[in-house]
Amino acid sequence: MGKMLKLADIQGNIVQAYRFPLARYIMFQVTEEGKAREFIKKIIPHITTGEMWEKGGKPEVTTNIAFSYQGLKAIGLNESSLRQFPLAFAEGMKARAHLLGDEGESGPHQWDECWQEHVDILLTINARTVNDLSSLTEITESEKAHLNDFHEALKSLCDSTGGIKVLGQQDANVLFYNGKPCAKEHFGFDDGIGNPSFSGTDLATMKIPGKGKQLADGSWVPLAAGEFILGHADESQAIPEAPRPRLLTDNGTYMVYRKLHQNVASFRKYLVDTGKEYAKTLDMSKYRHADGTAAKGWEILAAKMAGRWLDGTPVELSPYGQDPSIRADSARNNDFNYTGDKDAATCPFGAHVRRTNPRGSLGFDGKLTSRRRILRRGLPYGTPTPFDKLGRDPR
């Protein structure tokens, strides 16, 4: 392995997903520079680092922090450093809505109230439930005690320093289907399976086949740390430009916070209606799940759209149905490429997993597909719609 990262200087949610069932995202605005800096000074000891995560033994609560461009400006970062940030970061999402497709019903005027102002600081709290998650059939308020207790301590810290005000918060939690917690999002797909790995740690999760880049001999290695973390060489062996001084940006990263609404009823209706027609074009006798049950037209269509079956089985490894043995095996579930599927007959070019990671199928010995990858962290919010219900899209 190459150079080891200074995990004590890297936030833990960059190093890997916590996989906690509860989260709270708190948005702040700076009201007074000096006092806000004092708040930051006092919150730093509570920030969860990659080192804390690596030592094992999950804490009850983790905390991480992020600043917008306006936030850095508000706490007094000097102009020479501010001018070195890329335009996309300096402008922010609201100003770039037309470039991001955030128009009409998705336009900034429809965003939560806190985003109508400028958010300077984002604090993310992730927490465990009081009782073992597997023993629960739902998450009650009493199960959020660790989360709420830390939030109360955070409020006290804010009150003691002043200088910032809360604009809003967003709670999120793992979903329960049929009374059991699961890794699914609202459309029904198992989520959080294919996050990329990068070099510089000894974490076992960074060595899972299929999560980095594939070498000529078929083996997999983590991506260069600089693809995600500032101050380190990327896949081109160059250190990406970043604002100076290096103390400001080294071992940091750029983060995007997005809250997405899912129109579950519209999605399910489309799958059912279009799935019936799609099934007429297929030899349905081939489509069977590993347990022997016949795959339905809407299930096949959903799998083609995502590139994975609802349970997370990749269509590239199991084209005709779900296979729990593959899904449960981390050494197999991401260990595939598209070299044998160049016409995209098995996994369409537009499938979610193929768009996000083409896995060497763009040629050039995979050098194109080992760049510009994305780490994704997050949880669903709201209450899931049972699988046997169409649901209703709120307006």
Side-chain angles (χ1 to χ4, degrees):
M1 179 176 289
K3 181 182 177 183
M4 296 296 290
L5 296 170
K6 295 179 180 178
L7 296 179
D9 194 40
I10 301 173
Q11 295 199 57
N13 59 347
I14 301 172
V15 176
Q16 67 173 331
Y18 295 139
R19 298 196 177 279
F20 281 5
L22 302 170
R24 181 167 293 160
Y25 307 95
I26 309 172
M27 299 78 175
F28 295 92
Q29 188 175 86
V30 173
T31 58
E32 191 173 335
E33 177 186 322
K35 291 181 178 180
R37 291 168 74 100
E38 183 64 21
F39 168 78
I40 295 166
K41 181 179 178 181
K42 289 187 175 182
I43 196 68
I44 284 175
H46 301 284
I47 300 300
T48 305
T49 70
E51 183 182 54
M52 293 168 66
W53 182 256
E54 186 186 40
K55 289 180 178 177
K58 286 186 178 182
E60 293 175 344
V61 177
T62 61
T63 316
N64 293 104
I65 193 168
F67 299 88
S68 67
Y69 176 85
Q70 292 295 333
L72 292 173
K73 188 175 183 178
I75 62 173
L77 183 64
N78 64 73
E79 283 295 328
S80 63
S81 292
L82 286 169
R83 284 196 297 268
Q84 296 174 59
F85 280 104
L87 182 63
F89 179 67
E91 288 187 332
M93 283 194 295
K94 188 184 294 186
R96 300 171 66 83
H98 64 291
L99 298 174
L100 301 171
D102 291 338
E103 300 176 306
E105 290 187 353
S106 298
H109 65 287
Q110 298 279 26
W111 297 356
D112 290 345
E113 185 176 348
C114 65
W115 298 102
Q116 303 309 315
E117 302 188 52
H118 60 85
V119 174
D120 296 328
I121 301 172
L122 173 70
L123 269 179
T124 302
I125 306 172
N126 289 83
R128 301 166 70 175
T129 48
V130 173
N131 293 294
D132 184 79
L133 182 66
S134 63
S135 69
L136 304 179
T137 58
E138 62 176 344
I139 294 180
T140 60
E141 195 62 27
S142 62
E143 289 295 336
K144 299 180 181 180
H146 299 320
L147 178 67
N148 291 331
D149 288 350
F150 185 86
H151 192 183
E152 287 302 313
L154 181 64
K155 289 179 182 177
S156 297
L157 180 59
C158 293
D159 292 341
S160 70
T161 64
I164 61 172
K165 67 175 183 179
V166 175
L167 294 180
Q169 70 179 55
Q170 175 66 55
D171 278 16
N173 58 264
V174 68
L175 299 183
F176 284 71
Y177 282 103
N178 300 320
K180 295 181 180 180
C182 62
K184 292 187 179 298
E185 46 73 61
H186 284 285
F187 287 151
F189 293 97
D190 272 19
D191 198 18
I193 299 171
N195 269 306
S197 61
F198 54 87
S199 61
T201 84
D202 284 326
L203 293 170
T205 51
M206 297 297 186
K207 302 171 185 176
I208 295 175
K211 290 199 167 188
K213 61 180 178 180
Q214 194 168 31
L215 302 180
D217 64 1
S219 62
W220 296 87
V221 295
L223 295 163
E227 289 296 317
F228 309 100
I229 302 176
L230 296 170
H232 300 272
D234 59 22
E235 283 293 320
S236 72
Q237 302 305 307
I239 296 178
E241 291 186 14
R244 301 292 178 175
R246 293 189 60 173
L247 181 63
L248 170 66
T249 54
D250 274 11
N251 292 321
T253 192
Y254 289 106
M255 188 194 79
V256 177
Y257 174 90
R258 297 281 280 178
K259 178 182 177 181
L260 303 178
H261 173 78
Q262 293 175 264
N263 290 322
V264 176
S266 299
F267 181 72
R268 289 184 178 175
K269 185 177 187 304
Y270 176 83
L271 287 181
V272 171
D273 293 346
T274 309
K276 292 176 182 176
E277 297 303 313
Y278 182 52
K280 296 176 183 178
T281 70
L282 305 172
D283 179 357
M284 292 296 288
S285 66
K286 294 181 179 179
Y287 289 89
R288 292 195 168 273
H289 300 305
D291 64 1
T293 59
K296 299 179 177 65
W298 69 266
E299 291 180 288
I300 303 168
L301 179 60
K304 293 291 186 179
M305 293 170 70
R308 291 183 184 270
W309 295 90
L310 290 175
D311 74 340
T313 305
V315 297
E316 200 65 36
L317 297 181
S318 184
Y320 299 115
Q322 297 179 161
D323 188 338
S325 69
I326 296 175
R327 173 64 181 94
D329 187 349
S330 61
R332 297 173 63 199
N333 198 34
N334 282 291
D335 191 5
F336 62 90
N337 58 40
Y338 302 113
T339 56
D341 188 25
K342 293 181 179 179
D343 59 356
T346 301
C347 185
F349 292 122
H352 169 68
V353 301
R354 190 161 184 168
R355 284 171 61 88
T356 55
N357 182 10
R359 295 174 180 261
S361 61
L362 302 182
F364 299 95
D365 296 323
K367 288 182 172 60
L368 292 179
T369 55
S370 59
R371 305 298 312 277
R372 311 300 190 266
R373 299 278 295 281
I374 297 173
L375 295 170
R376 188 166 62 87
R377 311 286 187 243
L379 278 171
Y381 65 94
T383 304
T385 303
F387 284 128
D388 59 349
K389 306 290 184 183
L390 184 61
R392 195 173 187 178
D393 292 334
R395 293 293 179 188

